[in-house]
Amino acid sequence: MVTEYICWDCEKGYRPQDLQRAAKILKQHGLVAFPTETVYGLGGSGLCPEAAKKIYEAKGRPSDNPLILHISKSEQLPMIAERIPDVAYPLMKAFWPGPMTLIFHKNKCVPHEITGGLETVAVRMPSHEAARMLIEAAGVPIAAPSANTSGRPSPTTAAHVREDLDGRIEMIIDGGAVNIGVESTIVDLTEDIPTILRPGHITKDMLQQVAGEVRMDAGLLGTDSDRKPKAPGMKYRHYAPRAKMTVFDGELDVVVKQINDRAREYPAAQVGILASEETADSYTHGQVVSVGSRNAGTIEQGLYSALRLFDHKGVEVILSESFSQEDKGEAIMNRLMKAAGQHIIYLSRE
Ligand code: AMP
Ligand code: MG
């Protein structure tokens, strides 16, 4: 298959004929990758089992890992969700359109192929104009997981999507680099208390200010070792570069010293160091990649690009700094730890 490329420009938007072609592909159950504010999505018609199958195939995604349905206006919600609890309304008012996904009981018109066999459905209204216009033009909710090969870091540019899916899908819409850089916060509203199944840019504090009590899924916190995360996707090794990665946690100067010492155990070409702007100059050996600035808060945006860059550099080992767990740091550390297969070394000052 030859993948067609079109552009969305933040000032000029789409060329009308391009938007029509993209919508037509979706209506005919083909696949279109498009930018959202979180990461690029791989879109297919949201109520169609055939499109769902194609999404799983193109990504190589396990079929028990359900897809998120993307809508462009709240009126589309009753078509796909049932028994919407009262707490949903203030949450949607506060955070939609935006990087929050809500889990509801599914309506019968949502096929099980979309929900990985579950009786619940994940729904999000993205704020990115290109995504909203595409959903609108397609006239149906769009199923859209991240537009990467399953297991690889999520794409934050169209070039990342091309790396993984060129020749496997009908179209890629290039809207430049995304804004946020990590996937949406997933909140389960089918429980008595809203429960975060995946941390994201919308933090627990932000949700609590609107919805009252909110809790973290026990499987995510690791406090209940018998419980698997309730979002099926969270149990897979994920977001991962090809090299084996270790995260070092502790006071920053101790971490930098330890990474410098360990790096020297490898040839410089084979060892990657995931650093921040504030520390990058402290490393003297290895392939140093700065993920962004701790002080300016740009780590979230740069994380997946940095992980992919290590693949391009062909390193065999990655030694990574760790970042604050506070606030938006929760999402960053959740993704970083998954990329590292949960491999972390805690350091203390001697
Ligand atoms: P992605 O589309 O790559 O951002 O992945 C979607 C995430 O949403 C995965 O972690 C899924 O397991 C999760 N998800 C989708 N639908 C549901 C659902 N009905 N219940 C729980 N988690 C879900
Ligand atoms: Mg994904």
Side-chain angles (χ1 to χ4, degrees):
M1 178 187 306
V2 177
T3 301
E4 184 182 354
Y5 287 79
I6 65 168
C7 283
W8 177 88
D9 181 284
C10 58
E11 273 164 23
K12 298 191 199 126
Y14 285 105
R15 292 195 315 163
Q17 64 270 37
D18 287 345
L19 181 60
Q20 287 321 313
R21 261 205 323 287
K24 189 169 169 205
I25 292 170
L26 291 170
K27 284 178 189 162
Q28 293 175 343
H29 306 158
L31 304 185
V32 176
F34 60 95
T36 81
E37 67 277 20
T38 56
V39 301
Y40 272 72
L42 175 57
S45 178
L47 303 179
C48 163
E50 186 195 339
K53 265 204 210 130
K54 286 188 190 164
I55 291 176
Y56 285 101
E57 252 170 52
K59 280 180 63 81
R61 181 175 174 116
S63 61
D64 69 342
N65 187 2
L67 308 175
I68 295 173
L69 286 185
H70 291 65
I71 58 176
S72 58
K73 42 183 188 271
S74 329
E75 297 86 82
Q76 289 174 308
L77 188 61
M79 189 205 302
I80 51 182
E82 273 182 3
R83 287 179 273 159
I84 297 167
D86 289 346
V87 70
Y89 296 97
L91 282 172
M92 293 189 291
K93 187 155 186 277
F95 302 116
W96 275 4
M100 174 187 72
T101 295
L102 298 176
I103 309 280
F104 299 103
H105 296 283
K106 84 172 191 69
N107 183 298
K108 62 178 177 313
C109 75
V110 179
H112 282 120
E113 284 81 355
I114 296 283
T115 67
L118 297 175
E119 294 305 324
T120 53
V121 62
V123 188
R124 176 165 109 81
M125 188 191 294
S127 62
H128 197 295
E129 196 55 27
R132 302 278 299 282
M133 287 178 78
L134 181 66
I135 301 165
E136 196 75 19
V140 281
I142 298 296
S146 49
N148 52 305
T149 303
S150 197
R152 292 211 69 208
S154 297
T156 55
T157 66
H160 295 162
V161 182
R162 178 193 284 251
E163 261 175 31
D164 286 9
L165 297 176
D166 188 51
R168 302 174 69 86
I169 61 177
E170 279 80 358
M171 182 182 271
I172 297 176
I173 299 171
D174 187 344
V178 302
N179 229 325
I180 293 176
V182 301
E183 302 82 351
S184 57
T185 307
I186 301 180
V187 188
D188 186 355
L189 296 186
T190 66
E191 305 262 352
D192 292 343
I193 299 169
T195 303
I196 298 174
L197 305 186
R198 175 174 75 183
H201 190 75
I202 308 281
T203 63
K204 183 176 172 194
D205 271 0
M206 291 161 76
L207 294 166
Q208 289 197 138
Q209 277 173 24
V210 175
E213 191 187 354
V214 171
R215 67 177 174 216
M216 279 282 176
D217 178 46
L220 257 188
L221 288 171
T223 44
D224 180 349
S225 55
D226 289 338
R227 265 189 73 174
K228 290 250 180 298
K230 237 194 117 190
M234 298 302 281
K235 68 178 186 270
Y236 296 106
R237 179 161 184 252
H238 224 134
Y239 318 121
R242 295 195 177 96
K244 182 170 175 352
M245 179 164 153
T246 304
V247 178
F248 292 86
D249 187 48
E251 288 177 51
L252 196 53
D253 61 324
V254 180
V255 167
V256 170
K257 182 173 181 317
Q258 181 67 213
I259 292 180
N260 253 326
D261 289 349
R262 298 257 183 147
R264 287 198 194 86
E265 294 169 12
Y266 305 91
Q270 285 173 21
V271 56
I273 296 175
L274 193 143
S276 47
E277 270 174 32
E278 289 79 6
T279 56
D281 288 343
S282 320
Y283 297 105
T284 50
H285 180 85
Q287 309 295 309
V288 182
V289 173
S290 168
V291 67
S293 163
R294 292 169 181 273
N295 300 334
T298 53
I299 308 288
E300 199 180 22
Q301 208 178 21
L303 181 63
Y304 289 135
S305 272
L307 293 175
R308 280 180 181 256
L309 197 51
F310 286 119
D311 284 347
H312 289 291
K313 289 177 179 290
V315 298
E316 283 173 17
V317 172
I318 301 168
L319 309 175
S320 173
E321 296 177 2
S322 64
F323 300 92
S324 159
Q325 292 266 16
E326 296 286 301
D327 208 26
K328 310 224 185 286
E330 188 143 30
I332 295 167
M333 283 307 287
N334 171 271
R335 307 309 193 271
L336 195 64
M337 289 301 290
K338 277 185 173 295
Q342 307 298 328
H343 193 213
I344 186 165
I345 294 177
Y346 296 98
L347 303 169
S348 55
R349 205 173 281 285
E350 303 268 287

